[in-house]
Amino acid sequence: MNYFPDEVIEHVFGFITSHKERNAVSLVCKSWYKIERMSRQRVFIGNCYAISPEGVIARFPELKSLTLKGKPHFADFNLVPHDWGGILYPWIEAFAKSRVGLEELRLKRMVVSDESLELLSKSFVNFKALVLVSCEGFSTDGLAAVAANCRFLRELDLQENEVEDHRGHWISRFPESCTSLVSLNLACLKGEINLSALERLVARSPNLKSLRLSRAVPLDALQKILMRAPQLVDLGTGSFVHDPASDAYNKLKATILKCKSIKSLSGFLEVAPRCLSAIHPICHNLTSLNLSYAPGIHGNDLIKLIQHCRKLERLWILDCIGDKGLGIVASTCKELQELRVFPSDPYGVGNAAVTEEGLVAISAGCPKLHSLLYFCQQMTNAALITVAKNCSNFTRFRLCILDPIRPDPVTMQPLDEGFGAIVQSCKRLRRLSLSGLLTDRVFLYIGMYAEQLEMLSIAFAGDSDKGMLYVLNGCKKLRKLEIRDSPFGDTALLMDVGKYETMRSLWMSSCEVTLGGCKTLAKNRPMLNVEIINEDDQIDFSSDDRQKVGKMYLYRTLVGPRKDAPEFVWTL
Amino acid sequence: MEGRVTYENDDLNLKATELRLGLPGTDETDDHEQAISTARNNKRPSPDTTDDCVNKSRSDEAAPVAKAQIVGWPPIRSYRKNTLQPKKTEAEAPGIYVKVSMDGAPYLRKIDLKVYKGYPELLKALENMFKFTIGQYSEREGYKGSEYAPTYEDKDGDWMLVGDVPWDMFMTSCKRLRIMKGSEARGLGCGV
């Protein structure tokens, strides 16, 4: 029942920005659904195959900002063939035909062609922000089109994309009249860059707050650029190599002192450790530091740097910091909220690696820690139990023991109890990744305690279908489940088929599910796409249903089987 | 198709220890089953196996499985993996080639500074190349005991005595080398 005119309700809705809340609001009644849909400006689509672009436009005609995700998460680890899908072009085509005034596009794991970038750049007059994360399929030609045609571009953010670099002077395609840039992230580009064009671009962008350079930008060019942008808040350096006795280096030191606003620092894609003292003066202001792409910085230099960073809230680093280094982080960075420790040598044994000791130290020293990604050589139950006691605030806990089925090296027991302690203690846990030797027991704990869990990643774990069933039955808020190399089969898969419509997606690879099981699941379920990825023709569609399925990806959808599935993807 | 065969006692599962590259599931189903079952068995330390037994089977089979065969493990984004790997190729990156001239020699040579780890190696190489002897280096007197002195032109165009600055700095600032001879050489040494 509405006692207020629609305009008032719409005004109130303007204060509700989270997708979840807006979704909830739209379910209250028809009238609220209508008001909400006409006023929603930011739309988030977690799976681009869950709905068609026309469907999105029909429901949200006033949308200005679109976020789209394509390939399943395990595509990051080469488990999904290249041309699986997640293609952007049809979306741009549909939006271009409509009257939607698109201003922002954020994409993750999608295939983006130069044609789609060009069409995008020419179709939306007010286009302001393009963010591409882990995408592929485009070259600097596509970027040139965006630079040349998007007159009011504020944000061009390229994160970890595979970009074909044609070495054209695409940066020069930004017209002289383009002065609106706020954020420019070029870190993933591999080719040469026209340095003077870049410098001029920075010089005419007074609002530039975030700038991340590529490897091709040397230290002396960095100095010139920083002279033009002392107002930067977020800086990613390119190559940080120079003779510390040289003029250029001394100039840089002086210039950096002028950059009093820098709070976030990254890059150092190439680095001469002796040059690092230039950045010590700004360390005390840093809240975010990403050195995870700087293998050239060794333990001691890392520690020297971090000792200056007392305000750090986010730290991404390589494991060459070692347990001792993490101890220094624990005693220095009391405001730390997010920590990611990546392996510098993923396949070696690694003297430089970290162990459970480092994690325990961090948990003891950093009370605000809530987000963790930790690649380590080993982990013990005792350590995990201690971490759980010290830190009950985890919302994201991802642990990766480099040897995937390693037990507790002290007791030789599985790590069930350790992870059990984590889920029991961290009542707000939303994302969890497991590793190490694990039995069904850990899943019993997860099903019992992880009430807020939305995403779970499982590899080489469990003994039987019971494991998967504990999770499916217990985790009411589960949205994404991804499993590889675990002995879960048809019984678990088929126990509660309705569950999958409450989730975004399920990935199972190298498990025990059979073709027959997948077919049964797909039967009479128009709201689910059950896709089998059949590489190398390992499965003959007409043959035995008892055949194990190598890779299965299922997701809920409003639009049935997708029409762009390649030959090797079967929708059952 | 054989059904669910258990491999509890199949300790000599040679197929599973075979090193091969391939996606999980690309082999025939029964091999795949075997590998998984065996891995399962090795994972569960059953009550009557000793620690030794678990360790042994782990190191025999799980280690090669972990390191050589597993696609997509550890779970690192390919972008990150590809970006960090160039650490190795940096060693193969183009060298720092500089011209070397020797007073009185009819033609110049070229050497790659990256090849040498420090001054002693470089000087020895020069001695071999041009068949001469360099004297003893000291900060005060330069190269004493020989009529030759190794010099280099730096980025500012000045001629400097080799050996005064740290090796890394020398590598980045050296534009060319010249081995001076005779009275000129002695002049640099500030001796009489």
Side-chain angles (χ1 to χ4, degrees), chain B residues 24 26 51 54-55 59 63 77 89 117 171 183-184:
Chain B
T26 51
D51 283 354
V54 172
N55 279 335
S59 58
R77 269 193 192 162
T89 59
K117 294 202 181 58
M171 272 218 297
S183 50
E184 258 196 288

Side-chain angles (χ1 to χ4, degrees), chain B residues 7 9 42 49 58 90 99 134 138 145 173:
Chain B
Y7 297 88
N9 298 316
N42 289 337
T49 51
R58 240 182 42 78
E90 255 161 40
K99 287 184 191 166
I134 289 177
S138 76
S173 53

Side-chain angles (χ1 to χ4, degrees), chain A residues 279-476:
Chain A
I279 57 169
H280 286 179
I282 54 170
C283 285
H284 64 274
N285 274 335
L286 291 181
T287 56
S288 170
L289 180 61
N290 180 355
L291 297 175
S292 64
Y293 282 103
I297 308 182
H298 298 298
N300 286 333
D301 293 308
L302 272 177
I303 291 173
K304 265 195 244 162
L305 202 61
I306 287 175
Q307 278 170 329
H308 296 275
C309 303
R310 301 198 152 268
K311 288 202 193 145
L312 222 50
E313 292 170 15
R314 196 163 87 130
L315 176 63
W316 291 26
I317 205 156
L318 290 172
D319 63 2
C320 41
I321 192 173
D323 285 331
K324 253 213 229 124
L326 287 177
I328 307 277
V329 172
S331 55
T332 311
C333 308
K334 295 302 182 186
E335 303 297 315
L336 198 65
Q337 296 179 25
E338 176 181 332
L339 174 67
R340 296 195 190 190
V341 181
F342 294 95
S344 46
D345 187 11
Y347 303 107
V349 174
N351 315 316
V354 296
T355 70
E356 73 276 10
E357 280 181 32
L359 185 59
V360 170
I362 292 280
S363 71
C366 306
K368 298 188 182 176
L369 192 66
H370 65 78
S371 174
L372 179 76
L373 172 61
Y374 195 75
F375 286 83
C376 58
Q377 284 297 321
Q378 63 183 47
M379 186 54 58
T380 64
N381 283 311
L384 282 174
I385 291 169
T386 307
V387 168
K389 267 204 215 105
N390 291 340
C391 257
S392 57
N393 289 328
F394 280 113
T395 55
R396 292 181 193 82
F397 191 89
R398 293 192 281 166
L399 186 68
C400 178
I401 303 168
L402 290 171
D403 186 343
I405 50 175
R406 195 165 180 186
D408 179 329
V410 172
T411 63
M412 298 313 289
Q413 292 300 303
L415 291 175
D416 303 332
E417 299 306 312
F419 279 105
I422 294 283
V423 293
Q424 199 177 355
S425 157
C426 303
K427 306 213 186 296
R428 289 192 293 264
L429 193 67
R430 295 196 318 262
R431 182 170 182 182
L432 178 64
S433 295
L434 307 169
S435 60
L437 183 62
L438 295 164
T439 73
D440 284 343
R441 204 168 173 78
V442 71
F443 300 112
L444 174 68
Y445 292 141
I446 292 173
M448 256 188 350
Y449 296 115
E451 290 174 8
Q452 301 300 318
L453 196 65
E454 296 177 9
M455 181 169 179
L456 180 61
S457 307
I458 301 170
F460 305 97
D463 307 311
S464 73
D465 283 331
K466 280 209 223 132
M468 185 169 165
L469 284 171
Y470 289 140
V471 171
L472 290 175
N473 292 334
C475 300
K476 301 295 178 204

Side-chain angles (χ1 to χ4, degrees), chain A residues 76-77 134 160 188 215 243 292-293 343 347 375 400 402-403 412 437 460 463 484-485 487 510 538 548, chain B residues 23-25 33 40 43-44 55 58 66 70-73 75-81 84 90 168-169:
Chain A
D76 281 350
F77 318 131
S134 289
E160 302 191 336
C188 65
R215 205 189 190 105
D243 176 357
S292 64
Y293 282 103
Y347 303 107
F375 286 83
C400 178
L402 290 171
D403 186 343
M412 298 313 289
L437 183 62
F460 305 97
D463 307 311
R484 64 167 292 182
D485 295 276
S510 305
Q538 34 158 164
K548 298 263 170 66
Chain B
L23 297 169
E33 254 188 303
R40 289 290 152 273
K43 277 168 50 180
R44 283 174 291 162
N55 279 335
R58 240 182 42 78
I70 304 181
V71 174
W73 193 270
I76 306 172
R77 269 193 192 162
S78 0
Y79 173 86
R80 182 175 285 280
K81 261 202 283 229
L84 284 182
E90 255 161 40
D168 286 347
M169 197 185 291

Side-chain angles (χ1 to χ4, degrees), chain B residues 3 43 47 67 70 72-73 80 97-98 129 146 161 164 179:
Chain B
K43 277 168 50 180
K67 291 191 170 107
I70 304 181
W73 193 270
R80 182 175 285 280
Y97 280 91
V98 296
M129 198 179 250
S146 135
L161 186 68
D164 285 337
I179 301 171

Side-chain angles (χ1 to χ4, degrees), chain A residues 37 81 252 426 482:
Chain A
R37 83 170 243 272
L252 177 72
C426 303
E482 46 188 27

